């Protein structure tokens, strides 16, 4: 695709009575991993909601591969791994069924899985090392396994842009390392990844680009240029200590 994966221009967004983002502009490079860094409450989740067209109070423009958010979602151009996924532990849905949900945009109205859908699910389960858990209820999984299941759902979707909101929150080290490995493989395959986090550890190894956010974009560029003491102090303040 010739259009840039994400172009945000002068975005001001929030909710009734709350302005979470002010005049945010950014542009993602194709086939790169960009880490969106900021303290809790800095507007990271609001930015993701704006990219998905889910923010009611929004000014400015958001374009995903040259299209607005609604068009991008209809054309299956973006997948999303939310920070919190509501799971009823008593509801009998298996890991395989959750991952198959990623294929719904490719199916017809009756959502009948075809051979290519089943193959995409098999691959996603293998990538996230969940093949052995495919018949297990999602409610029985550990926090890290559950997060990997939702990453697998996004993988199965096969969109050229993947958004992940705080995917390392509450997961074990093994799951975190595996998710990073999966994201690096996606990058090598040409997928563009935007991942939000407030954890600074390992960002240099994770991402090609960093966007430092605190309601506004404070800095953007390669990790070595952005993650300076001065810039981090502006973004995190007392939380950095």
């Amino acid at each position: 695709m010739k259009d840039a994966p994400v172009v945000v221009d002068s975005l001001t967004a929030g909710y009734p009575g709350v302005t979470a983002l002010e005049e945010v502009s950014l542009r993602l490079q194709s086939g790169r991993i960009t880490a969106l860094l900021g303290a809790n409450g800095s507007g990271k989740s609001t930015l993701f909601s704006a990219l998905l067209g889910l923010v009611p109070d929004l000014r400015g423009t958001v374009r995903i591969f040259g299209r607005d958010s609604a068009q991008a979602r209809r054309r299956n151009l973006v997948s999303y791994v939310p920070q919190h996924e509501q799971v009823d532990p008593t509801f009998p849905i298996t890991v395989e069924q959750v991952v198959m949900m990623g294929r719904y945009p490719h199916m017809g109205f009756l959502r009948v899985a075809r051979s290519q859908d089943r193959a995409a699910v098999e691959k996603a389960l293998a990538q996230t090392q969940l093949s052995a858990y495919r018949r297990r209820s999602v409610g029985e999984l550990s926090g890290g396994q559950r997060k990997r299941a939702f990453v697998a759902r996004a993988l199965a979707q096969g969109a050229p842009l993947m958004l992940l909101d705080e995917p390392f929150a509450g997961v074990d080290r093994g799951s975190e390392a595996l998710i990073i490995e999966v994201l690096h493989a996606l990058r090598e395959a040409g997928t563009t990844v935007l991942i939000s986090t407030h954890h600074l550890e390992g960002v240099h190894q994770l991402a090609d680009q960093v966007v430092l956010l605190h309601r506004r974009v404070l800095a953007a560029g390669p990790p070595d240029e952005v993650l300076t003491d001065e810039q981090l102090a502006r973004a995190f303040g007392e939380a950095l200590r």
Side-chain angles (χ1 to χ4, degrees), residues 16 44 60 70 88 118 122 145 174 199 230:
K44 301 188 301 296
D88 182 352
R118 290 187 288 271
E122 291 285 349
Q145 291 169 336
H199 296 298
E230 180 182 356

Side-chain angles (χ1 to χ4, degrees), residues 1-5 27 30 65-66:
M1 296 181 181
K2 295 182 180 179
D3 293 298
R27 184 186 186 98
S30 181
F65 294 107

Side-chain angles (χ1 to χ4, degrees), residues 67-210:
R67 298 174 172 86
D68 64 33
S69 299
Q71 291 175 326
R73 293 177 70 184
R74 285 196 299 270
R75 291 176 177 266
N76 193 39
L77 298 179
V78 56
S79 61
Y80 176 51
V81 181
Q83 180 177 356
H84 301 293
E85 190 81 43
Q86 298 298 322
V87 176
D88 182 352
T90 66
F91 189 77
I93 184 170
T94 66
V95 171
E96 183 175 22
Q97 289 170 327
V98 166
V99 180
M100 185 62 77
M101 290 177 182
R103 298 301 300 172
Y104 285 178
H106 303 274
M107 299 180 187
F109 178 75
L110 297 178
R111 291 178 175 171
V112 177
R114 301 160 297 175
S115 59
Q116 55 264 49
D117 301 314
R118 290 187 288 271
V121 169
E122 291 285 349
K123 181 178 179 181
L125 288 169
Q127 286 177 291
T128 53
Q129 296 183 11
L130 289 174
S131 297
Y133 298 88
R134 63 190 309 146
R135 308 295 183 197
R136 188 170 297 185
S137 169
V138 172
E140 298 175 3
L141 300 181
S142 69
Q145 291 169 336
R146 189 177 301 172
K147 182 65 71 172
R148 280 153 48 195
F150 295 121
V151 170
R153 180 181 63 186
L155 288 172
Q157 186 177 338
L161 170 66
M162 182 184 288
L163 310 178
L164 302 98
D165 192 0
E166 297 282 1
F168 306 132
V171 306
D172 58 276
R173 288 287 188 178
S175 291
E176 179 178 333
L178 180 57
I179 291 170
I180 291 173
E181 181 181 329
V182 168
L183 296 181
H184 285 170
L186 282 176
R187 175 184 60 189
E188 295 305 312
T191 300
T192 303
V193 177
L194 178 63
I195 176 171
S196 78
T197 181
H198 62 274
H199 296 298
L200 298 175
E201 182 182 354
V203 171
H204 287 80
Q205 290 73 39
L206 167 67
D208 307 295
Q209 301 287 316
V210 172

